[in-house]
Amino acid sequence: MIKALLKYSISSLLAIGLLYWAFSKSDLHWADIYQSALTANYQWIIVSIVIALISHLLRALRWEQLLGAMHYSPGTTRTFSAVLIGYFANFIVPRMGEVSRCGSLQKTANIPFEKSFGTVITERIVDLLGLAVLVGLTFIVEWKPIQQFLFPNFHLPPTIMLAGIAAGGITFLGLIWILRDRFLVRWQHFAATNKVGKLLQGWFVGILSIKEVENPSKFILYTILIWVAYFANTYTLLLAFPISSSLSLSAGLTVLVMGTFGMATPTQGGIGAYHSLVASALSFYLIPLKDATILATFFHGTQMATILLFGGLSFIITFFLPQKNAGIES
């Protein structure tokens, strides 16, 4: 209890500190945010909220595929509610979203926590790969200005160093492959005799569920559409304000990447870090820092309000959903 309270206090202080730093360095006041809100095009904001909900629905549908690979079928209502509850929890306690999602399905669909948690880890790995592709794409389309702005003195390491790193990585993977049978035997003994091993084994079953997905092309399509929806959500928010409405699609891509990194920080819903990173990205496109911070605050506030509203409703709905036996492992 004390450890959890300490962890929550540290993340809260970090969020407050980052938010204060973002506001103070731009000389921003709440009255400035109110004045900017009066200039917003709320039709675009409503569109962005709808797109955000669609992205969460797509995530729920993709999650259903991973659960289905383990012969569990909770239904879209339960998975969609669980996804929204997970986002809601992240705005309350950092890193509680994954736990809350799986706890919700355990309650409403009788799916073992460790199995569903394994599928969430798989999702995070896939999302990380998607983010890596997005970062790479951003650097390709915006490399020259980004390099001049962030890495003015950057030079590639010598070729021999890169070759040495590559050779070391290949050698390491080769050793793992050669000794794989020994590792497997030891792992099976550990998983059969140790409580932690059994828990990890459940996680791995969930993680490896991606191999058994019935329709891999649909899984890939959902993954692409999720990122497309994230981008569309970001760009429609840019269109909602006169000062950012003329920014290019590539600028929207940069803002999305920086915002994703901000949301990943260990604070409630990325508070503070999101504001600083998105404001920096917008100022990179010659938007004054004060205005950029206002936009970042409004973007984050829109997302936060959406999640708190629909996540809270989903939490209430779960109390009225009858428990379903989602399936039995075959």
Side-chain angles (χ1 to χ4, degrees):
M1 179 65 180
I2 296 177
K3 184 179 178 181
L5 183 61
L6 181 62
K7 184 178 178 181
Y8 180 77
S9 300
I10 291 173
S11 64
S12 298
L13 289 173
L14 179 61
I16 293 171
L18 288 171
L19 190 62
Y20 175 79
W21 180 68
F23 276 31
S24 61
K25 73 175 183 177
S26 59
D27 193 28
L28 179 62
H29 303 284
W30 290 110
D32 300 318
I33 298 174
Y34 174 74
Q35 290 299 322
S36 294
L38 297 177
T39 68
N41 184 332
Y42 284 90
Q43 291 180 339
W44 280 121
I45 292 172
I46 292 172
V47 170
S48 76
I49 292 173
V50 172
I51 293 172
L53 291 174
I54 290 173
S55 74
H56 303 326
L57 176 60
L58 289 168
R59 182 172 290 280
L61 293 173
R62 188 182 67 173
W63 193 20
E64 279 190 61
Q65 282 195 277
L66 293 174
L67 294 167
M70 296 187 297
H71 310 287
Y72 292 111
S73 180
T76 304
T77 299
R78 288 169 174 78
T79 51
F80 187 38
S81 296
V83 166
L84 290 172
I85 288 170
Y87 283 118
F88 178 88
N90 273 337
F91 272 101
I92 307 301
V93 181
R95 298 293 170 270
M96 276 297 293
E98 290 79 2
V99 175
S100 299
R101 279 175 62 176
C102 300
S104 175
L105 274 194
Q106 187 174 36
K107 176 180 179 296
T108 62
N110 198 30
I111 298 178
F113 178 90
E114 65 274 10
K115 300 291 182 67
S116 60
F117 193 77
T119 61
V120 171
I121 294 174
T122 301
E123 274 202 302
R124 289 293 172 259
I125 294 171
V126 172
D127 289 339
L128 186 61
L129 292 173
L131 179 59
V133 170
L134 205 65
V135 170
L137 181 61
T138 303
F139 270 78
I140 289 172
V141 299
E142 294 284 76
W143 168 247
K144 188 173 181 179
I146 288 176
Q147 189 267 332
Q148 291 176 349
F149 185 72
L150 296 178
F151 316 109
N153 300 316
F154 174 78
H155 298 286
L156 285 173
T159 304
I160 189 170
M161 182 183 295
L162 295 176
I165 294 173
I170 293 172
T171 301
F172 177 72
L173 293 175
L175 286 173
I176 292 178
W177 178 256
I178 292 170
L179 300 173
R180 66 187 184 282
D181 291 335
R182 292 186 183 181
F183 287 141
L184 182 59
V185 170
R186 292 187 178 183
W187 169 255
Q188 288 174 341
H189 176 74
F190 177 68
T193 59
N194 188 281
K195 186 176 180 180
V196 175
K198 291 178 182 178
L199 178 63
L200 292 175
Q201 179 69 11
W203 290 5
F204 288 140
V205 170
I207 292 171
L208 295 175
S209 63
I210 194 170
K211 294 168 55 180
E212 307 299 330
V213 167
E214 184 176 346
N215 192 336
S217 59
K218 184 186 288 187
F219 184 88
I220 294 171
L221 178 62
Y222 282 148
T223 300
I224 294 173
L225 289 178
I226 287 169
W227 283 106
V228 169
Y230 286 168
F231 172 76
N233 170 257
T234 299
Y235 195 69
T236 50
L237 285 173
L238 291 175
L239 293 176
F241 291 87
I243 196 169
S244 59
S245 60
S246 61
L247 291 180
S248 65
L249 293 173
S250 59
L253 193 62
T254 303
V255 172
L256 170 60
V257 169
M258 298 299 279
T260 302
F261 282 127
M263 296 296 283
T265 56
T267 62
Q268 288 85 341
I271 293 174
Y274 179 95
H275 297 73
S276 293
L277 291 174
V278 170
S280 296
L282 290 168
S283 62
F284 171 69
Y285 293 99
L286 304 181
I287 292 180
L289 183 58
K290 184 174 184 176
D291 294 319
T293 307
I294 290 173
L295 293 178
T297 303
F298 204 93
F299 293 176
H300 187 272
T302 300
Q303 297 176 47
M304 185 174 179
T306 302
I307 290 300
L308 292 180
L309 173 61
F310 290 98
L313 288 174
S314 296
F315 182 74
I316 294 172
I317 288 171
T318 58
F319 286 102
F320 298 96
L321 284 174
Q323 188 179 55
K324 173 183 179 181
N325 187 6
I328 302 175
E329 301 168 83
S330 65

